Amino acid sequence: MSVLINGVATELPPDPRVSLLDFLRERLALTGTKKGCNQGGCGACTVLADGVRILSCLALAAQYDGRRITTVEGLADGDRLHPLQRAFIEHDGFQCGYCTSGQLCSAIGMVAEAERGVPSHVTADVTDGKVVLTADEIRERMSGNLCRCGSHNGIIGAIAATYAQESS
């Protein structure tokens, strides 16, 4: 069994009880993904599985056989930061930085959801099949990722600067 992590084929652990989070952090030393509450409540451990955001603390590594996992370490292109990473810096989207990796992965997955037309609780017209990423839409979609330092406005500003669309 193997998984593609940040573009690198990696053997999965033989123990099927290992969480994806522990596999990434403890066995692969990909410590950018953080262990926050370890109960799926804070979003610090968010990574992308085939482009979809997941909570790695609630996922077993063995579930991802043959899949593509992207962690915060896989967002940049070498020394060139992902545009959202640059926006987080420009908009002070972090203080302690503990939640930042989960926020970044979640935002990228959130944009993909919106592009697929997946509605949120605040989507005005769920029959339209289109989602406009307004500030309210971004706030609602990012509500599963907590920042205890109070950087939410900077985080939303960074995401909006990178992806928001004007509502018509």
Side-chain angles (χ1 to χ4, degrees):
M1 294 193 335
S2 68
V3 61
L4 200 62
I5 297 179
N6 298 331
V8 177
T10 306
E11 290 296 315
L12 286 166
D15 185 346
R17 300 169 296 177
V18 175
S19 74
L20 181 58
L21 174 61
D22 289 342
F23 179 59
L24 294 169
R25 289 185 54 81
E26 296 173 13
R27 300 188 186 194
L28 301 179
L30 294 171
T31 56
T33 304
K34 303 300 185 210
K35 184 179 275 189
C37 67
N38 206 27
Q39 298 176 357
C42 72
C45 67
T46 304
V47 298
L48 301 169
D50 296 327
V52 175
R53 56 186 171 167
I54 64 165
L55 299 169
S56 63
C57 72
L58 298 181
L60 296 173
Q63 292 175 278
Y64 294 90
D65 181 30
R67 311 260 314 261
R68 181 176 45 95
I69 302 296
T70 304
T71 69
V72 70
E73 290 92 343
L75 298 180
D77 182 14
D79 290 338
R80 198 166 141 210
L81 294 178
H82 185 282
L84 186 58
Q85 290 173 309
R86 289 195 307 268
F88 264 59
I89 293 169
E90 293 165 7
H91 292 267
D92 293 325
F94 57 91
Q95 286 183 15
C96 78
Y98 200 81
C99 71
T100 305
S101 59
Q103 299 274 4
L104 288 163
C105 287
S106 187
I108 291 169
M110 177 267 305
V111 169
E113 290 168 11
E115 289 174 351
R116 291 193 311 271
V118 177
S120 78
H121 181 69
V122 299
T123 301
D125 183 358
V126 296
T127 64
D128 187 11
K130 295 179 182 175
V131 174
V132 177
L133 284 178
T134 62
D136 287 343
E137 191 74 50
I138 292 170
R139 278 190 189 89
E140 170 61 20
R141 289 174 182 271
M142 294 298 294
S143 63
N145 290 76
L146 304 178
C147 168
R148 291 173 178 84
C149 298
S151 294
H152 277 288
N153 288 336
I155 292 168
I156 299 304
I159 296 169
T162 307
Y163 298 110
Q165 305 156 346
E166 296 295 322
S167 59
S168 52

